Amino acid sequence: MAIIFREQTKQFYLHTDNSSYIIELLEGKIPLHAYWGPRLDNMPPLTTWKSSNFMNFNALDIPTSAGGDFQCAGSLPLELPTYGAGDMRQPAFHAQYADGSRITKLEYVGHTITSGKPGLEGLPATYGGAGQVDTLELHLYDALQELSVYLQYSVFPAQDAVTRSVRVVNESDNLVRLLKVASANVDFYDMDADMLHLHGLWARERHVQRVPLTNTATQFGSLRGASSHLHNPFFALLSPDTTETTGDAYGFSLVYSGNFLAEAEKDAFNMVRASIGLGGLDFAWNLNSGDSFQSPEAVLVYAADGIGGMSRRYHRLYRDHLCRGRYQHKERPVLVNNWEATYFQFNEEKLLTIAEKAKALDIDMLVLDDGWFGKRNQDNCSLGDWYVNTEKLPGGLKGLGDKLNAMGMKFGLWFEPEMVSPDSDLYRAHPDWCLHVEGRSRSLSRSQLILDMSRADVQEYVINTVCGVLNSAPIAYVKWDMNRNFSEAGSALLPPEQQQEVAHRYMLGLYRVLETITSRHPEVLFESCAGGGGRYDPGMLYYMPQTWCSDDTDGVERLYIQYGTSMVYPAVSMGSHVSACPNHQVGRTTPFKMRGDVAMSGQFGYELDLSRLSEADLALAKEQVAFYKKYRHVVQWGDMYRLCSPFEEPFAAWEYVAADGNTALLCTYVVAGKPNVGRKRVKLQGLDATAEYKVETDGRVYSGAFLMQVGLAFDRNLDHLSNVTVLTKM
Ligand code: GLA
């Protein structure tokens, strides 16, 4: 059992293979955050520190009576800080009660420790059976307001991960209004730390930023109804000297796809309070008598071996204990998508021409993107009218799918089911089905509105429509898109006092729809998308094991995007395609080889008109597909090591080491050509120091120790912009 309760000291030890997370009940009542870091099997209770010289007790002034004088709680490290009962920092939990008060005071009443991990009702979450994960549930109670709060902790020892979530049960006869429910809060004492987070915008998602925490509060999140391009629902706290390979890294990742709030506050005693979950400007939830509320899950990972160590733990956990379905551990097909090849201007003949070229290259699947339905010949109509345009596809989806199957190709299809165009039969029939506020104009974005997924009738419509299409044709893959963010986020069915629930109810509705559709169609590989990577989060990965990384397919821009994405998300989840040049987003021209070498660090595919490629590029594409198929298991299931950051120098390098350790792929990229620079030395990681490795390109043999301590050198001129070097263990 990874969880131990020591009755005498009132301490809970949550042990992973390399770390410990320790909670202590102050005077048996208040759950204190005692420790999180490298494995620690014994710790003197925090309350005994007071009588030693070990700490500066100005900063940790623990009251002798938790029930009485609580005025010093302002500096206690708390597991779930609440507002108004002594703690003066930003709370993790905030509620308003029927008497108008906003004070919550929770005390321990009991706990359970079980093996395995229960699911979270209606929400995506990591999972695992007995022997893989253990769970602690702390039951806290506010006696005055008759409110129960359950703190849920699950420990994945092999991944050095602790997941946290919060369940609130209203046991009073009155209404409780929840205003903030963080999934996890950690109070670190006397900590100097940097915050690493992933920010961006459309076409430049998940760029890495690392900033020192100063004595102020740092806050970010989303109010967009999607986890968003702007801020990924993730951050890490790092010791100032932490690098890719050394030092403390504490990761916080939220398994959620909608509005969220992440905060880190450093107080005058250098205590850092970090939290992630629901809250912020427009969240409130009315909890009626007898009802319960489940927060999303936060996944906390500790690594002593730097940022790279943290990322590899997330990759393993999310591959093995978050993603699901038939494709979870299956190598994914290589596809060609017609979006950048044709946009809306296609017909069956054109698609079959691309498919024939693709087949000759041994590509597995053609994905038909936007424009196959209603009268959609540009992006201003027909979302919601999911019936095929027979002018473009005379034989319908089935006709096209059958022809592709007869050629030995699979058929994939794009949808944007959460949306409606004002110019659509659906909108004309149901103008109240979109998010809106009565009397206000409905702001358009990309000429579209958002369906109100909080409504059961809308959910049923989406389920029936998507399943209807999937049943009508041999569809092996779905790209599920979501191309705009919320405005006028109101629901016609909710009363005024529940309108602040809309954003979360939308997510619960969407998750119900995704659960239903993906379980009715286990044969389909689903890839999520939101204007590229606007909803690249663990919540979506629970239903759909891969995500379209970004609408920016430029080979150079993708280095930054994929490098940042790899902080949390495994390569097997990153949709990544070779597109045409000059690039449609940034106008840059990059060699075909480099575009392929970049796209191979993810779910490989093409997004261009193969029938317009030169013979030389076609020959190269054939080699790329064969190479990727031979080595994709290394990228998809191996361990990733980031070696050189494009954010630090105009050169990027990373490496994948196969799960069996027998093969490694070293990927190197020149970001910008510079005159007269020497060769770049790249030291590998994760190899067996005592083994010999053969470099397949030139047949030379080196020891693992040499490759890791001395490394290989690469040209940095324009003739050698990229390399994917294969190393085979002898
Ligand atoms: C979004 C997606 C693209 C493409 C278009 C179609 O922008 O990210 O890949 O599917 O929609 O309209």
Side-chain angles (χ1 to χ4, degrees):
M1 193 52 91
I3 301 170
I4 300 163
F5 177 54
R6 299 221 172 115
E7 179 68 53
Q8 226 184 352
T9 53
K10 301 275 189 250
Q11 289 170 314
F12 296 91
Y13 286 78
L14 282 55
H15 291 307
T16 72
D17 289 355
N18 302 294
S19 73
S20 299
Y21 186 110
I22 305 175
I23 303 160
E24 180 179 324
L25 296 173
L26 174 62
E27 305 206 329
K29 289 178 184 161
I30 313 289
L32 298 181
H33 177 70
Y35 176 80
W36 184 27
R39 175 107 185 186
L40 183 62
D41 288 288
N42 280 298
M43 172 166 188
L46 285 181
T47 34
T48 63
W49 293 19
K50 198 171 166 117
S51 55
S52 76
N53 289 324
F54 193 53
M55 284 282 291
N56 168 5
F57 290 106
N58 290 329
L60 193 73
D61 204 352
I62 294 172
T64 46
S65 167
D69 177 8
F70 205 69
Q71 60 185 321
C72 298
S75 49
L76 282 175
L78 298 164
E79 277 298 298
L80 189 76
T82 57
Y83 173 75
D87 186 88
M88 313 286 175
R89 292 159 288 179
Q90 290 293 328
F93 179 88
H94 189 32
Q96 181 165 27
Y97 301 96
D99 59 8
S101 73
R102 282 93 51 224
I103 297 152
T104 307
K105 194 163 181 180
L106 295 165
E107 291 187 350
Y108 168 87
V109 287
H111 72 266
T112 56
I113 296 174
T114 48
S115 57
K117 181 175 190 288
L120 298 192
E121 210 189 323
L123 285 165
T126 55
Y127 60 85
Q132 296 175 318
V133 55
D134 293 322
T135 298
L136 163 70
E137 189 170 83
L138 288 183
H139 180 190
L140 313 180
Y141 190 62
D142 183 317
L144 180 69
Q145 300 295 354
E146 298 174 281
L147 188 78
S148 278
V149 174
Y150 296 87
L151 304 188
Q152 299 156 317
Y153 301 81
S154 292
V155 185
F156 287 91
Q159 292 78 13
D160 293 318
V162 175
T163 68
R164 288 190 58 178
S165 63
V166 174
R167 187 163 57 91
V168 188
V169 183
N170 180 0
E171 293 176 16
S172 75
D173 293 332
N174 306 313
L175 180 78
V176 175
R177 192 164 168 78
L178 302 177
L179 301 171
K180 183 175 186 182
V181 186
S183 305
N185 177 91
V186 179
D187 282 357
F188 299 88
Y189 35 76
D190 194 17
M191 188 201 213
D192 284 323
D194 292 345
M195 178 189 258
L196 182 148
H197 68 112
L198 305 173
H199 72 106
L201 211 54
W202 175 78
R204 55 179 166 88
E205 298 90 338
R206 290 172 301 287
H207 279 215
V208 180
Q209 194 164 70
R210 178 176 178 167
V211 283
L213 290 182
T214 54
N215 290 93
T216 182
T218 307
Q219 194 190 71
F220 67 88
S222 172
L223 295 173
R224 299 185 155 231
S227 50
S228 94
H229 301 86
L230 272 77
H231 298 290
N232 201 255
F234 160 80
F235 64 90
L237 296 185
L238 311 170
S239 299
D241 57 358
T242 292
T243 66
E244 266 296 311
T245 52
T246 59
D248 294 327
Y250 299 89
F252 293 73
S253 164
L254 190 66
V255 187
Y256 193 62
S257 316
N259 290 355
F260 71 97
L261 180 67
E263 292 176 300
E265 182 181 4
K266 185 173 182 178
D267 72 11
F269 301 123
N270 273 4
M271 291 186 68
V272 173
R273 167 166 293 172
S275 73
I276 194 162
L278 299 181
L281 186 72
D282 201 35
F283 171 79
W285 190 273
N286 279 1
L287 194 63
N288 290 311
S289 169
D291 283 356
S292 68
F293 179 85
Q294 173 65 57
S295 84
E297 172 169 288
V299 178
L300 276 48
V301 161
Y302 171 74
D305 50 351
I307 308 167
M310 175 195 72
S311 298
R312 283 185 291 281
R313 286 170 174 85
Y314 275 120
H315 296 173
R316 285 185 217 126
L317 185 73
Y318 287 170
R319 279 192 312 227
D320 296 339
H321 295 281
L322 177 72
C323 292
R324 302 176 299 166
R326 220 171 264 183
Y327 278 93
Q328 180 185 7
H329 293 298
K330 209 167 148 184
E331 287 172 4
R332 316 280 167 78
V334 174
L335 62 84
V336 59
N337 178 304
N338 77 310
W339 178 240
E340 289 196 27
T342 66
Y343 295 103
F344 296 102
Q345 276 65 57
F346 61 85
N347 55 25
E348 189 183 86
E349 198 189 333
K350 177 74 202 170
L351 296 172
L352 290 174
T353 310
I354 295 176
E356 269 160 28
K357 288 282 179 190
K359 181 65 195 163
L361 301 178
D362 202 24
I363 291 173
D364 307 303
M365 180 159 70
L366 176 99
V367 175
L368 171 54
D369 210 279
D370 197 352
W372 56 266
F373 51 92
K375 53 186 176 64
R376 190 157 165 100
N377 294 317
Q378 40 179 321
D379 65 6
N380 62 359
C381 69
S382 301
L383 293 170
D385 296 345
W386 299 105
Y387 37 82
V388 70
N389 177 341
T390 46
E391 276 172 34
K392 287 179 176 172
L393 305 174
L397 295 170
K398 177 153 173 27
L400 175 62
D402 286 347
K403 284 182 188 154
L404 289 170
N405 287 175
M407 290 166 57
M409 297 275 293
K410 291 180 174 179
F411 176 36
L413 194 65
W414 179 96
F415 281 97
E416 199 181 354
E418 297 159 66
M419 298 291 154
V420 63
S421 308
D423 181 6
S424 67
D425 294 343
L426 181 70
Y427 189 73
R428 284 182 281 273
H430 299 285
D432 61 331
W433 273 17
C434 65
L435 293 176
H436 68 282
V437 171
E438 215 43 60
R440 289 220 174 269
S441 59
R442 302 171 183 195
S443 304
L444 298 177
S445 173
R446 212 191 189 212
S447 307
Q448 63 198 58
L449 295 163
I450 304 181
L451 287 175
D452 178 359
M453 299 298 292
S454 73
R455 294 173 63 133
D457 49 2
V458 173
Q459 293 165 22
E460 286 313 307
Y461 161 80
V462 172
I463 291 168
N464 292 334
T465 312
V466 174
C467 288
V469 175
L470 295 183
N471 290 333
S472 74
I475 295 165
Y477 162 105
V478 164
K479 177 175 171 188
W480 182 292
D481 210 339
M482 193 267 190
N483 274 324
R484 65 156 288 183
N485 290 148
F486 284 15
S487 62
E488 296 92 32
S491 172
L493 292 191
L494 287 174
E497 63 277 12
Q498 282 185 278
Q499 289 294 328
Q500 282 175 294
E501 298 174 15
V502 169
H504 185 54
R505 284 188 182 273
Y506 181 99
M507 289 318 309
L508 295 177
L510 175 65
Y511 288 148
R512 180 182 159 250
V513 166
L514 298 183
E515 181 68 33
T516 310
I517 294 175
T518 53
S519 49
R520 278 192 202 162
H521 289 279
E523 76 287 1
V524 174
L525 169 62
F526 287 86
E527 175 159 341
S528 79
C529 175
R535 209 162 54 180
Y536 201 141
D537 58 61
M540 292 309 287
L541 287 178
Y542 180 73
Y543 303 97
M544 305 188 173
Q546 55 192 65
T547 303
W548 179 229
C549 204
S550 176
D551 275 350
D552 193 335
T553 52
D554 173 66
V556 171
E557 286 296 305
R558 273 293 184 122
L559 294 173
Y560 298 90
I561 296 168
Q562 294 178 197
Y563 187 95
T565 305
S566 78
M567 289 291 148
V568 194
Y569 307 104
V572 72
S573 71
M574 280 183 219
S576 182
H577 302 164
V578 175
S579 64
C581 271
N583 175 265
H584 294 192
Q585 293 78 38
V586 298
R588 190 182 346 238
T589 295
T590 347
F592 198 82
K593 173 171 164 33
M594 177 162 178
R595 283 175 268 154
D597 285 351
V598 174
M600 281 188 213
S601 290
Q603 284 303 335
F604 188 64
Y606 292 84
E607 182 117 0
L608 43 71
D609 188 348
L610 294 171
S611 67
R612 295 171 68 177
L613 281 188
S614 67
E615 285 306 316
D617 284 352
L618 276 177
L620 198 48
K622 190 160 189 168
E623 278 175 30
Q624 289 171 342
V625 175
F627 181 90
Y628 185 74
K629 287 191 173 181
K630 185 167 178 194
Y631 293 110
R632 66 182 155 191
H633 68 282
V634 184
V635 175
Q636 299 185 357
W637 316 119
D639 273 337
M640 186 201 189
Y641 296 85
R642 288 180 297 261
L643 309 176
C644 301
S645 167
F647 293 97
E648 287 166 16
E649 56 179 325
F651 189 88
W654 50 74
E655 174 196 351
Y656 302 95
V657 180
D660 63 8
N662 287 334
T663 314
L665 297 188
L666 171 60
C667 310
T668 56
Y669 309 94
V670 176
V671 177
K674 294 266 175 211
N676 235 347
V677 283
R679 303 182 93 206
K680 173 74 186 171
R681 180 150 65 108
V682 179
K683 295 183 189 177
L684 284 85
Q685 294 176 30
L687 302 178
D688 175 353
T690 60
E692 305 259 270
Y693 292 84
K694 184 164 129 200
V695 177
E696 293 296 343
T697 30
D698 60 14
R700 288 207 230 177
V701 174
Y702 304 96
S703 71
F706 174 87
L707 291 166
M708 293 192 287
Q709 288 160 222
V710 180
L712 296 175
F714 292 88
D715 284 333
R716 276 187 276 190
N717 57 47
L718 292 175
D719 297 335
H720 297 88
L721 286 181
S722 67
N723 295 279
V724 178
T725 308
V726 181
L727 295 111
T728 315
K729 197 172 182 180
M730 314 240 334

